[in-house]
């Protein structure tokens, strides 16, 4: 089904990256502004992330020898340094997720650049490394984002439902590796129901969420693709939900032919393949359009 | 349960048509106008359709010897000609789906006519044939649509949840065959969750979607009806979802008594039955009403 | 669990009434007014009811020897007399469901009275009988409804999620039997997804809907209660959904101790028990409140 | 998975508290103000709570020897004293749930204090005891709530999704025990679909709700945590839903190592552990923030 799957290291049949958006309560502030501090219920719901869930998941993944890729907004890293330390201590990757988790497409290019610089700086101060990959807060990419990422020297993005294998994004200023996420993999959709997040949705039994994730994995493994989780510790790091992840990891490990990697390692692998002429990914030129296709009346 | 099922060719017990709305990113432009080009996430989500999903599905259906009917907006055909070629190369039918995927009921009759003419022209230029059937973008039929379709010489429509077997639509200017879609068959409902499409919905495991589709098929087969999928490559052409379709095709083929056809072939069969006096379908006169039933205060 | 279940006829363990709101496209007109006639998709979706689903269900229930109670708006009866004849021909009960399916709580008392009189008159003209029971369109009871029902001589209402057994509604002008509906029994919730009805909801596999209905039945049977379906032919009278009902009927009949009845027969039974002093139902005085409990600022 | 579980009494592996918000129709008045009295359907839906469901659940839990914790708004206690008596008669705990079920974060501090005082007074008049624990109506805590609860002498709160074990809330005026609720445990999410409550949601089969609740319990038991139901009699006290609870209780009791307690007993246990220096819970300082994190333009 996948026309042109990349060769994965050591003959692995597919690649798996467990990535988490470590948002903590940044989303409450980003959505509700000054009013957020008067919303104790929503804040506590999300502070579960750095105080309970992120350390738990870091430990659980470490016990299974599986790496995580954690996209952490700069403000979250500054506010909850112990959670970031738990991520880094187990050898996981830190990725860029903006500074205050602002919606990029609602920012001016100057504001977006400032958020990207502050977020990167915050992760550097804590971990000694600058993030090499990006996931857009709210998946809310602007039409400036990719230019800015190239300009700031990032290697990859993981914000699109664009393909089942890595592709290249070619901007006027240079290229990025895009590591696409399956369209159905989000954990909010399975587990979150909250008016504060404008997200009233049915809560699934963990077994049903697992059926969704597992069906994606089984298919992508059969065809040689890339499986990327896009989850949130405050959501998937709770006890019953973490147990479901453990069952999924065990199912994946039982196959014996899966490459578990960080997104950074996968991006490096793709760039090495491309530079060596061993694999030619699909290329998307950015921007997709230089002018409007339809100009609806306002 | 079906009072007056048509005789199907070669004694088949029921008819099955897999139809897809090949929307690509036209729906993003049609819904968001000039702002669409500043929404890279939504665009990439839907560009998966022509670049990945449509060629994949065309190949998969071909391998099973089952035809597809693909409703393609004119702009999509012009923008992604390779996807249209993949459809046509495997002998599938191209159907009419407007030009820019505009909502017909929000157009003036003149605008709607222009969209219908441009859409038809675009498919003609690419395939050498004019489309013979229509599905309304967003199912958003106007009160002019059927008159326009007859005037433009189309043979059938497939936009209504009107019956379990074909019916005839009788307009002042002539007749159309209506090939109705089961009310529960839509794949957005099973798999899509997206704020950009104003469609926040729970994502199902593919097995649950398959249970919905299969229940419709099993019942329509038992009673001699017509089963029509109304799906979208960007949604159902992803790996786990395509595998679910493959399982459904195998279930249908295992019955041994199913007529797999394009909607055009089914419309021709209906017209032949009617002209030969071998079967009398139900007739709906269009318009349903010549004046308002209730005139609510604005 | 049920403290005071009524004695059911012939030692039956519980009572079952399959009631349907035969709305046809009245809901499209009632919700969209003059614009409804320009919505062919929504109209056809609901015209399936009188042309296909209602005759089908009437036949299917008759074959199983199980009666239906059909709440039909007056306008629907006038517009689709053949569907009403199919209902009556099999000995089913016609109930009152307004005239144009207007929302009662949005009408003045004079308008509501007029709708009730026209609706009753329409059913009388077609069937020779006046309806004895009422279900409020949209469950949208006004604070005048029960007074009007008593004044017009109706025997029962079936619009409340008030109890698991019949209760009495005591108004200043007289009493009504209330035959309550289980809160989770609605078929729109299981099967309908439609923007035109402002009802975007996940579509269930019929087996899942059946699990909901069956769980209610199994519990109400265990405790001696009353199970009332509140369904719609355009929704539940489609092939896969009708088959699910057939499976439910077979499950119920296999118990051997279920009283299948119309709501009118159940109301008569309740009144007979009460008049004979054999059973004392719970009484709700109408109105529930004579003045506001909280007066929020506008 | 749980880093620092508390020692539970008698070597129990986990603690379980079944808490119910006995809202009756207070939510209709709180949401719709003076218009609520003109909404008979919504009122009857919720009056099921005191007249049918609460006595039923009190009896069922008593038969299983399992205590309930019932959060009852003051107005509900005054309006339906028999329901409160049924709760108290079986030795269950009454908790504070405001007076009219007003949204605390929409009240001024003076209004919120008044509601807290009236609610407490009403429960005292009926039961002879003042409530020792609180659950915020709508989970809608204000930034004054915790200060007010300490000032009024309450011992615990149970309104946050903050952890999997008890934590301490430290305010400027003193401390409270927080007994957190699992984020996915709400019964509205599983069973309620109602426009009147602005809560159009898919209704689950009871077995699916049970799968959600049971997965939370199995995980929290495995790791030594606290499982707290947050349910509503009008929702979970209906026959099929009550049977699902009965199955859950039986599953829990079959483990043999579960401490079934009221939330008040659990809070006392936590305070005793802390005072004896036997266990050190996590502490959250209240308020979480003294000034806004982000000040969005209005």
């Amino acid at each position: 089904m996948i026309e042109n799957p990349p060769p994965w290291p050591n003959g692995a049949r597919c690649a798996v990256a467990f990535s988490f958006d470590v948002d903590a309560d940044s989303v409450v502030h980003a959505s509700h502004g000054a009013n957020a501090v008067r919303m104790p219920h929503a804040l506590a719901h999300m502070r579960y992330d750095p105080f309970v869930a992120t350390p738990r998941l870091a430990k659980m993944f470490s016990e299974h020898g599986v790496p995580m890729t954690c996209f952490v907004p700069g403000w979250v890293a500054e506010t909850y340094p112990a959670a970031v330390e738990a991520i880094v201590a187990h050898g996981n990757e830190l990725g860029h997720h903006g500074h205050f988790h602002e919606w990029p497409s609602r920012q001016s290019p100057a504001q977006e650049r400032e958020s990207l610089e502050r977020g990167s700086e915050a992760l550097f101060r804590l971990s000694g490394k600058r993030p090499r990959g990006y996931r857009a807060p709210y998946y809310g990419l602007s039409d400036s984002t990719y230019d800015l990422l190239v300009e700031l020297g990032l290697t990859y993005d993981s914000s699109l439902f664009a393909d089942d294998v890595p592709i290249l994004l070619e901007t006027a200023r240079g290229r990025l590796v895009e590591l696409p996420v399956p369209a159905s993999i989000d954990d909010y959709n399975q587990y979150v129901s909250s008016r504060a997040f404008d997200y009233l949705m049915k809560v699934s039994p963990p077994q049903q969420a697992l059926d969704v994730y597992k069906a994606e994995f089984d298919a992508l493994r059969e065809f040689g693709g890339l499986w990327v989780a896009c989850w949130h510790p405050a959501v998937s790091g709770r006890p019953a939900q973490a147990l479901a992840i453990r069952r999924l990891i065990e199912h994946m490990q039982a196959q014996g032919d899966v490459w578990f990697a960080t997104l950074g390692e996968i991006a490096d692998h793709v760039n090495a393949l491309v530079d060596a002429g061993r694999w030619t990914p699909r290329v998307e030129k950015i921007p997709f359009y230089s002018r409007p296709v339809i100009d609806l009346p306002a």
Side-chain angles (χ1 to χ4, degrees), chain A residues 28-49:
Chain A
V28 187
H29 303 291
S31 293
H32 296 278
N35 198 44
V37 300
R38 292 191 290 275
M39 299 169 71
H41 181 79
L43 293 171
H45 187 169
M46 290 294 122
R47 283 161 70 94
Y48 183 97
D49 170 342

Side-chain angles (χ1 to χ4, degrees), chain A residues 108-129:
Chain A
S108 70
Q111 289 170 325
E112 188 177 2
R113 177 193 304 267
E114 193 198 328
S115 291
L116 287 168
E117 288 172 349
R118 287 183 71 179
S120 180
E121 192 60 30
L123 297 188
F124 178 73
R125 276 197 307 271
L126 267 164
S127 69
K129 292 186 200 165

Side-chain angles (χ1 to χ4, degrees), chain A residues 153-255:
Chain A
L154 272 78
T155 302
Y156 74 89
D157 171 71
S158 181
S159 307
L160 299 179
F161 302 160
D163 209 316
D164 311 307
V165 291
I167 62 172
L168 297 183
L169 303 180
E170 206 173 279
T171 78
R173 309 184 194 183
R175 97 183 174 207
L176 285 168
V177 175
E178 171 64 31
L179 300 172
V181 176
S184 69
I185 214 83
D186 181 62
D187 61 351
Y188 265 61
N189 191 270
Q190 296 299 321
Y191 294 131
V192 174
S193 185
S194 163
R195 282 193 202 275
F197 305 143
D198 189 19
Y199 202 87
L200 266 192
M201 194 72 78
K202 184 89 186 170
V203 172
S204 293
Q207 180 59 50
Q208 184 170 325
L210 190 53
D211 286 345
V212 171
Y213 306 153
K214 197 170 160 298
E216 298 295 338
F217 167 75
D218 288 345
L220 285 163
R221 174 178 168 273
E222 182 170 345
F223 306 125
L226 166 66
W227 183 94
V228 180
C230 177
W231 295 340
H232 305 78
V235 177
S236 287
R238 293 179 183 256
Q241 291 69 28
L243 279 187
I245 295 177
R246 198 161 78 181
R247 300 224 303 279
L248 181 62
I249 293 173
E250 289 165 358
H251 169 74
M252 289 170 164
Q253 290 186 323
Q255 312 303 314

